Amino acid sequence: MKRYALVVPTSMGVRITPEFRQPVHISHHFYMQATSAETNVASVAAALGLPVKVLTTFVEGSPIAAFIKNDLRSRNMEYEGREVPQGGPWGYRHQFNIADSGFGMRGPRVQNDRAGEVGRTLNVRDFDLERIFGVEGVEILHLSGLIAALSPETGEFCLALAREAKKYGTKISFDLNYRASFWKGREEELSAIFREIASVADILIGNEEDFQLCLNVQGPEAGGKDIASKIDSFQEMILRVQQEYPNASTFATTLRQVVSANEHLWGAILLRDGQWNVAEPRPIQVLDRIGGGDGFVGGLLYGVLKGWSAEDCLHFGWATGALAATMLNDYAQPADEEQVWAVWSGNARVKR
């Protein structure tokens, strides 16, 4: 039996958010949380009792590192990572994500402050991959394009993880997560890394921008109105991805149309073993949109780990994405499976 249901490499940081959905530039009081896209994904499985491990790196002696470690423990996540000396006031630190939630027609604004980010030092030499995959065992390795593109070292780390996972029969999930600022001037290097990881992945996840810009697969234009009318073009894009990356058995994308900062139309598409499943976009209320896509991936992977049907995996992922949008933290932390299925069914009645 494998020790871990899910393993995620990540660069941990903190997010600060103004209270009462106010803009950053006029706020004096902020809520702080530990965060990363990859632990946002892992949060669903961890909250529902599955064993999760985080591979990361920390600033030695940092109170922010201590804050992050305490948070991961409280969320039922094990972690492993090197302690890196700060190197003085201009040395390493954990990234800061500064974001407001928006309100009504004032959209959210996000600023990432990643100067001196310790996560950029993630290195394959700091981890015993044979122990993790060959001795302890992992059901699913979830990789994110954010980590693959963070630095040359993290790109090599993700490649090494994918190769080792493949060697020991671990399923590989890859969420492309394109970021233009990470790719600038590194297009050829990163394209090669992303294509190799995608070629061995069992589960490929991305939006229309991700598939086009990371894998050069033609797809629909990003954004726009009436997302439901674009479902056919999304399916055509995914079929092109499947043709180029036949190793994968599962392909997924979310569908989002922004009505206001408080209301979105939320849907998703899943292709698994040649069969389509579609969650048509429908309205959801939004407290904070950041992490909704990660919540979807987390729910989808939870369903895969539980051996559910493709339809149930899609519906559960849709619901954990919608659940994440109701929370101040940018991850879904469900109380139990029943709560998630109630979200999917539209049952918001009080449970006593």
Side-chain angles (χ1 to χ4, degrees), residues 44-188:
V44 175
L48 294 175
L50 296 184
V52 168
K53 188 166 194 174
V54 176
L55 306 180
T56 189
T57 189
F58 299 100
V59 176
E60 185 178 26
S62 163
I64 298 298
F67 176 85
I68 290 167
K69 291 175 183 178
N70 290 336
D71 179 81
L72 293 176
R73 284 192 290 264
S74 74
R75 290 160 63 189
N76 195 36
M77 295 186 195
E78 289 187 34
Y79 57 81
E80 179 177 337
R82 183 167 66 101
E83 301 276 339
V84 179
Q86 180 181 346
W90 292 276
Y92 289 117
R93 63 184 172 98
H94 291 276
Q95 58 156 310
F96 265 76
N97 183 285
I98 307 164
D100 75 67
S101 304
F103 189 82
M105 297 313 296
R106 174 172 56 80
R109 289 194 171 191
V110 180
Q111 179 183 357
N112 291 310
D113 187 346
R114 310 188 82 119
E117 182 173 355
V118 70
R120 300 184 78 237
T121 70
L122 272 168
N123 195 297
V124 65
R125 294 191 299 271
D126 298 330
F127 299 89
D128 185 346
L129 300 191
E130 185 174 352
R131 168 181 55 81
I132 293 170
F133 292 99
V135 178
E136 296 171 341
V138 179
E139 294 288 345
I140 295 179
L141 167 70
H142 176 67
L143 298 173
S144 163
L146 292 172
I147 304 304
L150 194 58
S151 71
E153 290 80 10
T154 61
E156 287 300 318
F157 181 46
C158 288
L159 283 175
L161 286 169
R163 292 164 184 161
E164 200 74 10
K166 194 72 176 174
K167 176 180 169 183
Y168 286 103
T170 294
K171 286 189 174 71
I172 300 169
S173 165
F174 187 28
D175 188 351
L176 297 168
N177 268 330
Y178 175 82
R179 293 294 185 273
S181 57
F182 289 14
W183 279 65
K184 188 175 181 181
R186 302 175 62 207
E187 290 81 3
E188 185 175 348

Side-chain angles (χ1 to χ4, degrees), residues 150-268:
L150 194 58
S151 71
E153 290 80 10
T154 61
E156 287 300 318
F157 181 46
C158 288
L159 283 175
L161 286 169
R163 292 164 184 161
E164 200 74 10
K166 194 72 176 174
K167 176 180 169 183
Y168 286 103
T170 294
K171 286 189 174 71
I172 300 169
S173 165
F174 187 28
D175 188 351
L176 297 168
N177 268 330
Y178 175 82
R179 293 294 185 273
S181 57
F182 289 14
W183 279 65
K184 188 175 181 181
R186 302 175 62 207
E187 290 81 3
E188 185 175 348
E189 168 203 352
L190 292 179
S191 180
I193 291 172
F194 276 59
R195 285 176 178 273
E196 180 175 342
I197 296 174
S199 72
V200 297
D202 301 278
I203 302 165
L204 272 174
I205 304 156
N207 61 28
E208 64 276 28
E209 184 181 57
D210 295 334
F211 284 121
Q212 293 181 81
L213 297 175
C214 294
L215 302 180
N216 197 31
V217 175
Q218 181 185 354
E221 291 183 10
K225 300 293 184 181
D226 193 16
I227 192 71
S229 68
K230 298 167 68 175
I231 288 177
D232 287 347
S233 59
F234 276 90
Q235 290 176 316
E236 291 169 5
M237 175 187 69
I238 289 173
L239 288 173
R240 285 189 284 271
V241 176
Q242 182 189 41
Q243 190 172 20
E244 290 200 34
Y245 298 93
N247 183 76
S249 62
T250 302
F251 304 83
T253 189
T254 54
L255 306 169
R256 187 197 299 266
Q257 181 176 326
V258 176
V259 179
S260 74
N262 310 72
E263 182 180 346
H264 295 174
L265 301 181
W266 179 244

Side-chain angles (χ1 to χ4, degrees), residues 273-291:
D273 297 326
Q275 299 296 314
W276 288 107
N277 286 272
V278 178
E280 296 280 349
R282 53 187 166 114
I284 62 168
Q285 281 64 55
V286 178
L287 180 63
D288 188 290
R289 69 162 286 164
I290 297 173

